[in-house]
Amino acid sequence: MSESWIILPYSAFLCFALGQVWRFRHDRFAAIAVSTGDGRLHEIGTAACRYGMGALIAARMLDVLGSGPHMHPSVALRLAIDTVEIVALPVAVAGAVLYLVPAMIADPDHGSVSPLDRLTLPVLAGMLLSWAAVEFAPDSVVGPSRTADTLFIWFRSLFTAHPNAAVMAHAPGLYQLRGLMILLLIAIWPYTRLGGLFAGPLVRRSNSDRMLVRR
């Protein structure tokens, strides 16, 4: 059982890395255009999803790096993390809906929306629900954070020479489910419409800069 908490994350990281290479060679991280009837609404959804998710990921990483059994973020950092999450969460949720749902409605049967794209919203919903469940669990609200004692220790250890799989193998089921949802999102990210959310603008900007230099 413990070995699965080593095999699964590294498999997800490998899928993510290979997916980045595949997307770059396949379409340079460009989302397949789907006519939804309101381009302005799509642009708003894309921006909200990009900045909302970016802020949430940044806040989570700060929390992961600054929390542990015997270390916790300072009051100021904790307040900053909570503020960012409170503001960014509804922005990210609204953006994800506007970014993903219209394309699925406009093109329900064709290749512009893949099965993995259809899996994206349920996975994001599972991420949101599992976050709320562990964030407001009684054993996290009162006393030391179980998230810091389980998920954070395990995730940080994956980037060391001695991954700590035991901490997740003995974690409550809710925290194991949360970990699996995170790994699933990492694994499928490059193969969905989310794959170009952050990398796409960087690649397009790089290509534009190269064209200007050539001129």
Side-chain angles (χ1 to χ4, degrees):
M1 180 64 178
S2 295
E3 291 77 7
S4 62
W5 291 104
I6 297 177
I7 297 171
L8 289 175
Y10 290 127
S11 298
F13 296 157
L14 180 60
C15 285
F16 182 84
L18 293 177
Q20 297 295 328
V21 175
W22 173 79
R23 279 300 297 269
F24 180 79
R25 292 181 174 178
H26 179 67
D27 60 7
R28 296 297 193 272
F29 299 101
I32 299 174
V34 179
S35 177
T36 60
D38 193 339
R40 179 61 178 170
L41 194 61
H42 178 73
E43 290 178 4
I44 294 173
T46 301
C49 190
R50 178 180 298 128
Y51 294 116
M53 284 194 176
L56 284 176
I57 292 171
R60 284 284 87 189
M61 292 309 299
L62 281 175
D63 206 3
V64 169
L65 295 174
S67 300
H70 305 294
M71 59 177 183
H72 298 281
S74 64
V75 175
L77 181 58
R78 180 74 263 170
L79 179 61
I81 291 172
D82 291 342
T83 301
V84 169
E85 289 184 341
I86 290 172
V87 174
L89 185 59
V91 173
V93 170
V97 171
L98 292 175
Y99 184 61
L100 297 170
V101 173
M104 296 180 185
I105 295 175
D107 191 16
D109 301 316
H110 299 91
S112 59
V113 180
S114 71
L116 284 179
D117 284 322
R118 300 185 185 283
L119 182 63
T120 304
L121 273 180
V123 172
L124 291 176
M127 289 280 294
L128 176 61
L129 293 174
S130 64
W131 170 82
V134 300
E135 193 74 10
F136 299 105
D139 55 0
S140 291
V141 175
V142 180
S145 171
R146 290 298 298 273
T147 303
D149 293 344
T150 54
L151 285 164
F152 290 177
I153 291 177
W154 164 71
F155 193 80
R156 285 197 303 267
S157 75
L158 296 174
F159 302 94
T160 69
H162 303 286
N164 188 345
V167 70
M168 283 302 292
H170 297 95
L174 178 60
Y175 296 86
Q176 292 181 340
L177 178 62
R178 171 74 172 163
L180 292 175
M181 296 298 296
I182 293 171
L183 295 180
L184 179 58
L185 183 61
I186 290 173
I188 69 172
W189 182 281
Y191 308 96
T192 68
R193 300 181 73 84
L194 295 176
L197 199 61
F198 300 114
L202 296 176
V203 171
R204 288 191 287 273
R205 177 64 181 273
S206 176
N207 290 339
S208 299
D209 290 345
R210 282 199 295 269
M211 290 178 65
L212 289 173
V213 170
R214 289 175 183 174
R215 291 178 183 176

